Amino acid sequence: MTRWWAGLATLVLRILGWTVRLDTSNLRDLPDPLHGHLPPTTPIIYTFWHNQILAATLFFQQRGIVVMTSQSRDGDIIAEVIQRFGFGAARGSATRGSVTALKAMVKAIRQEADAAFTIDGPKGPRYRAKDGAAMLASLSGAPIQPVCIVTEHHWTLNTWDAFRVPKPFTVGHVFYGQPIWVRRGATAEDIAAATARLQAELDTLLHRWETEHPSQRRASQRRAGALPSDRHVLDSSPTAAAETASNVETD
């Protein structure tokens, strides 16, 4: 049954992808259209909001990027779909299997693959960055690249993240923030500081788009409601983040 649903989802997304145009003009002043300010040979940890998954799949497809997907039935379907679009899948999430997934992502990065996180997934709060990307950056030495991919026209689902489904023939716009480096062996405070920087970068990118397109902001607020209270993390305590990183290193 999983393969049937994955096949249907893949077909729908491929058809949608044929009609959606991704505008990368915001990246034209960067040294590299995919790696931004970073050398093309540098493995990167791309991060974006959970409700931008479909647009991000279309943009990053067929590049061998390894993505964390949850160990759930929905995760089974997502893993099957993204693999058909040329992604790798590391199974785990903030609530289950995070250590195993982080190990797989560290291994992939050491083999010069890129990685990606939906940084407020799998269950929110919406638009609140968690610590996973900063922990992976510390363990692997790879930098974090904040990304925002927004579509001019989309359907907004009644989900925790106000999930966005691009409408056919819409235009998607890609924005990159400044890369974030986290030193190896980072302390819990370092991880928290890097996550705060990531939050600020992603907030800035989304605010930039909404400032240029105020009607989009009003529509988003009407459909999604007010943003949830400000809290973050893989687990909200710095101690828990440090313990998870230690488990990845020593296991």
Side-chain angles (χ1 to χ4, degrees):
M1 198 58 153
T2 295
R3 292 183 65 85
W4 188 90
W5 282 111
L8 178 61
T10 300
L11 176 62
V12 171
L13 189 52
R14 286 199 192 283
I15 293 172
L16 182 63
W18 292 331
T19 72
V20 173
R21 182 171 68 86
L22 291 170
D23 177 10
T24 59
S25 61
N26 296 300
L27 311 182
R28 63 187 166 201
D29 294 329
L30 299 177
D32 184 270
L34 180 61
H35 282 66
H37 295 284
L38 300 163
T41 56
T42 302
I44 291 177
I45 303 166
Y46 295 101
T47 59
F48 45 88
W49 298 126
H50 195 273
N51 63 8
Q52 297 172 5
I53 285 177
L54 294 186
T57 299
L58 296 176
F59 179 65
F60 288 116
Q61 63 179 303
Q62 305 304 335
R63 289 169 177 161
I65 297 172
V66 178
V67 181
M68 184 181 288
T69 58
S70 65
Q71 295 177 333
S72 64
R73 185 185 174 201
D74 288 348
D76 292 341
I77 296 172
I78 291 170
E80 182 80 21
V81 171
I82 64 174
Q83 286 169 342
R84 296 183 185 194
F85 279 87
F87 293 84
R91 303 305 302 276
S93 68
T95 55
R96 181 183 172 195
S98 60
V99 171
T100 301
L102 280 174
K103 283 183 181 178
M105 296 178 91
V106 169
K107 182 179 179 180
I109 288 172
R110 288 175 178 167
Q111 294 172 345
E112 300 186 346
D114 295 326
F117 272 91
T118 53
I119 201 62
D120 54 343
K123 296 182 179 178
R126 180 171 72 249
Y127 296 156
R128 293 293 173 260
K130 296 180 182 178
D131 293 341
M135 291 167 60
L136 180 59
S138 175
L139 292 164
S140 66
I144 302 168
Q145 177 61 68
V147 181
C148 184
I149 306 178
V150 288
T151 49
E152 293 182 4
H153 303 286
H154 52 261
W155 291 287
T156 302
L157 304 187
N158 186 27
T159 56
W160 68 265
D161 60 344
F163 193 82
R164 296 179 175 185
V165 179
K167 292 185 177 181
F169 305 102
T170 191
V171 177
H173 299 268
V174 185
F175 300 88
Y176 276 18
Q178 291 296 317
I180 299 167
W181 296 84
V182 184
R183 68 180 181 86
R184 290 183 182 271
T187 65
E189 289 72 22
D190 294 332
I191 297 293
T195 302
R197 284 187 58 199
L198 175 57
Q199 178 77 50
E201 284 289 330
L202 290 171
D203 285 346
T204 298
L205 294 176
L206 190 58
H207 178 70
R208 173 182 169 186
W209 165 257
E210 291 180 338
T211 298
E212 294 172 358
H213 302 80
S215 62
Q216 293 273 330
R217 180 180 181 86
R218 289 193 296 271
S220 178
Q221 288 175 334
R222 282 197 308 270
R223 294 167 185 158
L227 292 179
S229 60
D230 188 19
R231 57 190 176 95
H232 3 188
V233 289
L234 207 114
D235 177 332
S236 56
S237 70
T239 302
E243 288 175 351
T244 302
S246 177
N247 288 337
V248 175
E249 289 176 324
T250 59
D251 214 357

